[in-house]
Amino acid sequence: MPSCTPKKCSQCFALLADETRLKIFSKVRAGINQVKLLEKELAVSQPTISHHLAMLSSAGVVIASKQGRETKYQYNPQFACNGCNIFNLEFRV
């Protein structure tokens, strides 16, 4: 797992401010870990999903791992966000 540095609340809120990214994050946290499954669940294009997953991954909120030709994503419970714990809350999307 990547090492995490504490984030400012404004960074966390900005990351979740996009509705599509919030939906993707919620699905990944619930265990849907492949782009093709997210595509089917959310009716969003593969490039859009990949873009948002890249943002979540670069922030450290999700972890990407290559498995053969596919990349699987999982929520990073070690993500440090200055104690506000926003990423562990339930969201209505």
Side-chain angles (χ1 to χ4, degrees):
M1 284 190 186
S3 63
C4 298
T5 58
K7 304 287 181 190
K8 295 179 185 169
C9 287
S10 61
Q11 291 171 308
C12 295
F13 288 124
L15 197 58
L16 296 177
D18 183 276
E19 184 178 356
T20 302
R21 192 165 36 252
L22 178 60
K23 287 177 182 178
I24 291 168
F25 167 73
S26 295
K27 295 291 184 183
V28 169
R29 190 177 58 183
I32 299 173
N33 62 359
Q34 297 173 340
V35 173
K36 65 182 176 186
L37 296 176
L38 289 165
E39 221 178 326
K40 193 181 286 187
E41 281 276 323
L42 299 172
V44 176
S45 72
Q46 179 273 322
T48 299
I49 291 170
S50 294
H51 165 76
H52 289 295
L53 283 170
M55 292 180 76
L56 291 166
S57 183
S58 68
V61 178
V62 299
I63 300 167
S65 59
K66 278 287 213 188
Q67 293 185 354
R69 293 175 53 208
E70 287 191 11
T71 302
K72 296 202 176 182
Y73 297 87
Q74 67 181 39
Y75 170 59
N76 179 8
Q78 305 285 297
F79 180 75
C81 65
N82 271 350
C84 71
N85 212 22
I86 189 169
F87 293 98
N88 290 320
L89 300 174
E90 291 300 316
F91 301 103
R92 278 191 224 149
V93 289

